[in-house]
Amino acid sequence: MLRATLKSLLARKVRLILSGLAVVLGVMFVSGAFVLTDTLSRTFDQVFADAYAEVDVNVASRPNVQVSEAEGAPVNPPFPAATVEEIRAVPGVADAVGLALADGARLIGGDGKVVGSFGPPQLGQNWTGESDVVQLREGREPGADDEIVINAGLAQAGKVNVGDRVGVLTLEPRRDFTVVGIFGYSGGRDSIGGSSEIHFTTPVAQELMLGETGTFNSVSVTAADGVSDTTLRDDLAAALGDRFVVKTGEELSKEMSAAFEEGLTFFNRILLGFAAVALLVGTFLILNTFSIIVAQRTKELALLRAVGASGRQIIGSVVLEAVAVGLLASVFGLAAGVGVGALLAYLFGQFAGGLELAGIGVPVSAVVGAFGVGLLITVVAALLPALRAARIPPIAAMQDVATPDRPLTRVTVSGAVITGAGAILLALGLTDNAGGNVLAVILGGVLATFIGVALLTPLLSRPVVSLLGAIFSFSVPGKLGRLNSGRNPRRTAITAAALMVGIALVTGVTVILDSAKSSLSGLAQDNLRAELVIAGAQSGPRPPSFDRDVLTEAAQIPGVRLADGEYGDLAEVGGERTWVAASSEPAALRQIFGAEPVAGDIDRIGADQMLVRSETATARGWSVGSTVPVQLTRGEARTFTVSGIFTSEVFTNPVVLPQSVTADFAIPHPIQGFVQLESGTAVDEVLPRVEALLADSPEVSVADRDAFIEQQAGQLDILLTMIQILLALAIVIAVLGIVNTLALSVLERTRELGLLRAIGLRRGQTMQMITVEAIVISVFGALLGVVVGTGLGAAVVRALREDGITDLVLPWTQMGIFLGLAALIGVVAAALPAIRAARINILGAIAHD
């Protein structure tokens, strides 16, 4: 039996290659995700180890507000410089160096633009001299307040040389400095982890990075000979108390690595999610392939049964073929995944400013994932055809027909039940009735819906395929292609279902994002009453900001009615982390954002007062007159009194504080500006004058309201494009499924094709017949995908109605493109099978058995 199975496998090796390719592509995504995250993890382990190589113990002020990686970088508030001497006096301390260090020092390059950073920090600190790690390569250390030194990576990115005069943005608006030195790192490195570094004199670093001179926010401590790092850490922690966080360099390195790996885990899950989609589509392909092969081998399997093979042996034979395909596909998928992971890691390194990567490795998780997923998917997909093969009676060896189609009743009932279960799960998840497992419930609902619809597809295939095929019935080949595409509903359904999944996901995401874009754009158009908006695109942990004097001067421009600046920060409000805003013109809340008072006065804010959105006030139990403790990023905790409660469609910050407290914000400058014009004033008259005020703020620009709304909505288009690119893999696998089905169908119908050729069907007509069959199946799958995707997208939009997504936008243009693309997919997929069918030897085909 084993020899017979191996011979059967070798005889059908070409047929199994396409089904194996589906597994290869899915496994490639899985193993590539693990290779990528492993490479980046080891890279940043080394980066952080290098960054803290010379740190025995680090003492830092405890952040007033704890933030997650997604919310930005924590801010360590400054402490008096005298604390450094206090630390130096602790027994076991050999030396202590105060640091004024923070993220957010941005260099303005020679082209007048800010040297960007998409991930790595942009550090600014005081120069503390050369060391074993930091070494000057050119120039000297900074001696005057208008002098800086920068790392070589930043110098290269900004095309800056020693002696150049450059601008630097920090907590303060632009300041100009002379570059007097360029430094590198041990091992010939130009940067550590792609970060840029600007070093000032100590007073200037304190002023620009911490907001006040005579202070530091961390201290690098060197242990005396014979004193361990952990001992010194414990002694310092006991001496300094709870005001400070004391950690060894090794602990800091591990902590930073763990935080980075947490972000990588999220990214890894995204890649694995797309891999799961690819493998789901691949399952349909493999199921169809083995179903067709079993049908073609009916007489062969019946003969095996007749000579004594048991049903268990027949099942084992088919499963063994699946295992062989799964093993080979897993090997090639793993190899491809290593290549893809290495490529993505390289692109990440280039995107992060030339990050030096650790060597590409193949972690155990990639190997286990590749073979586990590859084998599991292949065997599970082949199991149903294997069970069907075991039921073939020996008498079938004497018949000339393959196994007949079975009734669709059981499949239809199963599909209806599973589809209903998927709908229930989606309803629970989208209405927040899934407890703490919302994401899992929604994903389960989507999966069940796809499987249920796939099971219902055979019931739909005959009428829908017949209707679609009518378009091509003007010729004999078209009529034959139409009849062929509907002759086996199960096969057509499984082939179309593979394409349905990819098209449905793309359509659903398009519906959701287009609806969100339309809703948010319409909301802003109706409620944002500012003709000009000042803002910038955020490319790092800090949003761009600009000098508050810009708003003061903009308000003096003829034709300007009101100029308002919005400040933002994350604070502890009433014991909970809450985003807070501050406004330079409290009256703008009503005049620009259309806010309406619910209680109290919202047109002004006293020094110790705050305004609150009505939803927040209700949730927290606040009313006018309530006193609430607020801890900002800097400074001591203060108590504010609720003086007004408002509602607004476009102003989403839950708490508004007076502008006087922005000195204690992480960014004490406005991050957005809004300019309202007098009636009759042309935008084109005012915009250039506001633009001129932003000459020293190259990170931000001014645009009219329509352009600003379009720019914000465009970010959703970028997200949609990324999702479509990733889901394209599932569509590629679906194309392979159509090719595979047609190729096997041509083999199955060899004698039939020979007879058609014998009675006059020309080669061109044969190719046209196969192409029509492919187009009908492809368009059927795309039509199903569009319908299912639209339904899923509309359900999500309906669930998000209370979150402001009120418009349901159906992307008719994209739907038409998807259907047209499906027709093109059919033409491409039919090419090889059609050529093969046209080349069939007529006499050999007629004699084929």
Side-chain angles (χ1 to χ4, degrees):
M1 195 66 193
L2 177 61
R3 286 195 299 270
T5 300
L6 293 177
K7 286 184 178 180
S8 174
L9 182 62
L10 292 173
R12 294 170 175 80
K13 53 183 179 294
V14 177
R15 308 181 195 183
L16 296 173
I17 286 176
L18 288 175
S19 58
L21 278 176
V23 182
V24 168
L25 292 174
V27 169
M28 178 187 73
F29 232 136
V30 173
S31 56
F34 285 118
V35 169
L36 172 64
T37 51
D38 174 75
T39 301
L40 294 183
S41 178
R42 287 185 292 105
T43 296
F44 279 91
D45 283 347
Q46 187 59 50
V47 165
F48 295 127
D50 291 342
Y52 296 103
E54 293 190 320
V55 177
D56 291 340
V57 177
N58 179 266
V59 177
S61 54
R62 189 176 297 278
N64 289 331
V65 180
Q66 298 293 333
V67 299
S68 66
E69 288 292 318
E71 294 168 334
V75 176
N76 301 106
F79 51 80
T83 304
V84 178
E85 296 302 323
E86 181 183 345
I87 292 172
R88 192 174 285 129
V90 174
V93 173
D95 193 18
V97 178
L99 301 176
L101 170 66
D103 194 355
R106 292 94 71 204
L107 180 77
I108 302 174
D111 57 0
K113 298 180 180 179
V114 174
V115 180
S117 172
F118 297 90
Q122 298 171 295
L123 301 174
Q125 73 169 85
N126 55 315
W127 175 257
T128 59
E130 294 184 89
S131 65
D132 292 339
V133 175
V134 176
Q135 300 140 7
L136 277 172
R137 294 182 183 174
E138 300 178 49
R140 58 176 175 82
E141 63 183 23
D145 288 349
D146 66 342
E147 295 178 347
I148 58 172
V149 296
I150 61 176
N151 66 342
L154 179 58
Q156 292 173 9
K159 297 180 174 58
V160 173
N161 299 305
V162 171
D164 288 352
R165 193 76 174 169
V166 298
V168 178
L169 301 174
T170 57
L171 290 179
E172 297 297 325
R174 172 175 175 154
R175 290 265 293 267
D176 290 331
F177 296 87
T178 300
V179 178
V180 297
I182 295 175
F183 65 92
Y185 305 87
S186 58
R189 294 168 297 169
D190 295 334
S191 70
I192 293 181
S195 63
S196 64
E197 292 189 35
I198 301 176
H199 291 225
F200 310 89
T201 60
T202 295
V204 173
Q206 291 169 336
E207 176 189 357
L208 298 185
M209 304 312 301
L210 304 184
E212 54 184 307
T213 58
T215 60
F216 296 106
N217 65 345
S218 66
V219 181
S220 179
V221 183
T222 303
D225 292 340
V227 178
S228 70
D229 296 349
T230 54
T231 298
L232 182 57
R233 176 201 62 193
D234 295 340
D235 291 345
L236 286 169
L240 297 172
D242 294 337
R243 297 176 301 151
F244 297 92
V245 178
V246 185
K247 295 180 180 178
T248 64
E250 183 179 356
E251 288 174 335
L252 282 174
S253 176
K254 291 181 179 179
E255 182 181 280
M256 297 297 291
S257 295
F260 180 79
E261 288 176 7
E262 183 179 345
L264 279 181
T265 300
F266 176 75
F267 182 64
N268 193 40
R269 286 173 180 168
I270 292 176
L271 291 179
L272 291 176
F274 285 104
V277 173
L279 289 167
L280 175 62
V281 175
T283 302
F284 288 113
L285 192 161
I286 298 165
L287 174 62
N288 212 21
T289 300
F290 277 91
S291 295
I292 295 172
I293 289 175
V294 166
Q296 291 174 349
R297 295 171 58 196
T298 298
K299 293 183 71 174
E300 175 190 330
L301 294 172
L303 282 172
L304 289 174
R305 291 296 309 278
V307 297
S310 66
R312 182 175 298 178
Q313 286 177 310
I314 296 295
I315 292 174
S317 174
V318 176
V319 170
L320 183 59
E321 290 187 22
V323 169
V325 172
L327 280 174
L328 287 174
S330 297
V331 170
F332 287 108
L334 176 60
V338 172
V340 168
L343 176 62
L344 291 175
Y346 170 78
L347 294 176
F348 182 91
Q350 296 303 307
F351 189 70
L355 177 65
E356 185 177 345
L357 297 173
I360 301 298
V362 183
V364 174
S365 56
V367 177
V368 173
F371 284 94
V373 168
L375 284 172
L376 179 65
I377 291 297
T378 312
V379 171
V380 168
L383 196 56
L384 187 61
L387 293 173
R388 191 177 305 153
R391 290 195 293 266
I392 294 175
I395 194 64
M398 294 180 288
Q399 297 176 341
D400 291 329
V401 294
T403 52
D405 281 347
R406 288 168 290 122
L408 298 176
T409 306
R410 187 177 300 175
V411 173
T412 302
V413 172
S414 299
V417 171
I418 295 175
T419 303
I424 293 172
L425 288 174
L426 284 171
L428 291 175
L430 295 174
T431 55
D432 292 331
N433 290 315
N437 301 308
V438 174
L439 180 60
V441 170
I442 290 177
L443 291 177
V446 170
L447 179 61
T449 301
F450 281 141
I451 294 174
V453 172
L455 291 174
L456 290 172
T457 304
L459 182 68
L460 303 172
S461 63
R462 272 196 176 134
V464 177
V465 165
S466 179
L467 183 62
L468 291 173
I471 301 172
F472 304 97
S473 295
F474 57 85
S475 65
V476 171
K479 290 179 181 178
L480 290 173
R482 171 192 178 187
L483 293 172
N484 286 334
S485 59
R487 68 197 294 180
N488 193 323
R490 294 175 185 272
R491 185 179 304 175
T492 299
I494 295 174
T495 306
L499 185 60
M500 174 201 72
V501 174
I503 297 293
L505 288 173
V506 173
T507 303
V509 171
T510 304
V511 169
I512 295 168
L513 293 183
D514 281 0
S515 298
K517 185 166 65 173
S518 174
S519 300
L520 297 177
S521 297
L523 194 63
Q525 287 283 4
D526 295 340
N527 294 279
L528 182 60
R529 303 168 187 172
E531 286 75 16
L532 298 175
V533 180
I534 302 170
Q538 185 170 345
S539 61
R542 297 169 53 92
S545 60
F546 56 94
D547 191 348
R548 66 183 68 189
D549 290 342
V550 169
L551 297 169
T552 303
E553 296 179 33
Q556 306 304 316
I557 297 174
V560 172
R561 179 186 181 191
L562 185 65
D564 172 56
E566 183 183 340
Y567 305 72
D569 200 10
L570 187 64
E572 292 278 353
V573 181
E576 295 184 20
R577 286 190 304 174
T578 306
W579 288 102
V580 299
S583 175
S584 56
E585 287 288 344
L589 195 62
R590 185 199 291 262
Q591 296 181 31
I592 290 180
F593 299 107
E596 294 295 333
V598 174
D601 185 359
I602 67 169
D603 291 326
R604 59 187 59 83
I605 312 175
D608 294 314
Q609 295 179 335
M610 58 188 277
L611 305 179
V612 184
R613 278 180 61 93
S614 59
E615 297 88 345
T616 304
T618 301
R620 303 278 192 95
W622 297 337
S623 59
V624 172
S626 296
T627 56
V628 182
V630 176
Q631 174 62 69
L632 298 173
T633 298
R634 296 184 173 87
E636 300 296 326
R638 298 170 56 181
T639 299
F640 291 84
T641 301
V642 177
S643 61
I645 298 174
F646 68 92
T647 181
S648 173
E649 295 290 339
V650 293
F651 193 89
T652 57
N653 277 299
V655 174
V656 183
L657 300 175
Q659 184 186 356
S660 58
V661 304
T662 56
D664 289 335
F665 278 21
I667 302 174
H669 298 287
I671 56 179
Q672 282 189 323
F674 301 91
V675 180
Q676 189 180 65
L677 305 182
E678 297 285 358
S679 178
T681 302
V683 170
D684 292 342
E685 295 177 7
V686 179
L687 190 148
R689 300 187 64 175
V690 176
E691 197 170 39
L693 298 175
L694 296 169
D696 289 338
S697 302
E699 290 181 303
V700 298
S701 59
V702 60
D704 62 62
R705 179 176 57 193
D706 292 341
F708 172 74
I709 293 172
E710 184 177 350
Q711 179 186 29
Q712 298 301 304
Q715 296 178 12
L716 293 177
D717 291 332
I718 295 173
L719 177 61
L720 177 60
T721 301
M722 293 174 61
I723 293 174
Q724 288 174 338
I725 291 172
L726 290 170
L727 287 175
L729 177 63
I731 296 176
V732 169
I733 295 175
V735 174
L736 292 177
I738 298 172
V739 173
N740 207 20
T741 299
L742 291 174
L744 292 172
S745 180
V746 166
L747 288 173
E748 185 181 52
R749 289 152 45 195
T750 299
R751 187 176 184 182
E752 174 188 321
L753 291 169
L755 288 171
L756 288 171
R757 292 293 312 283
I759 62 175
L761 193 69
R762 297 187 299 274
R763 286 187 174 183
Q765 291 177 314
T766 302
M767 295 178 66
Q768 183 182 345
M769 177 184 68
I770 301 297
T771 302
V772 167
E773 185 177 347
I775 291 174
V776 170
I777 293 174
S778 297
V779 174
F780 175 48
L783 188 61
L784 278 177
V786 166
V787 172
V788 173
T790 301
L792 291 174
V796 173
V797 171
R798 178 64 183 85
L800 295 175
R801 180 175 295 273
E802 294 183 0
D803 295 319
I805 311 301
T806 55
D807 296 345
L808 175 60
V809 177
L810 300 182
W812 297 108
T813 301
Q814 286 92 332
M815 291 180 190
I817 291 173
F818 294 155
L819 295 176
L821 181 62
L824 179 61
I825 286 173
V827 173
V828 173
L832 291 178
I835 292 172
R836 181 163 187 168
R839 290 178 176 176
I840 285 178
N841 181 279
I842 297 176
L843 294 179
I846 293 174
H848 180 79
D849 186 7

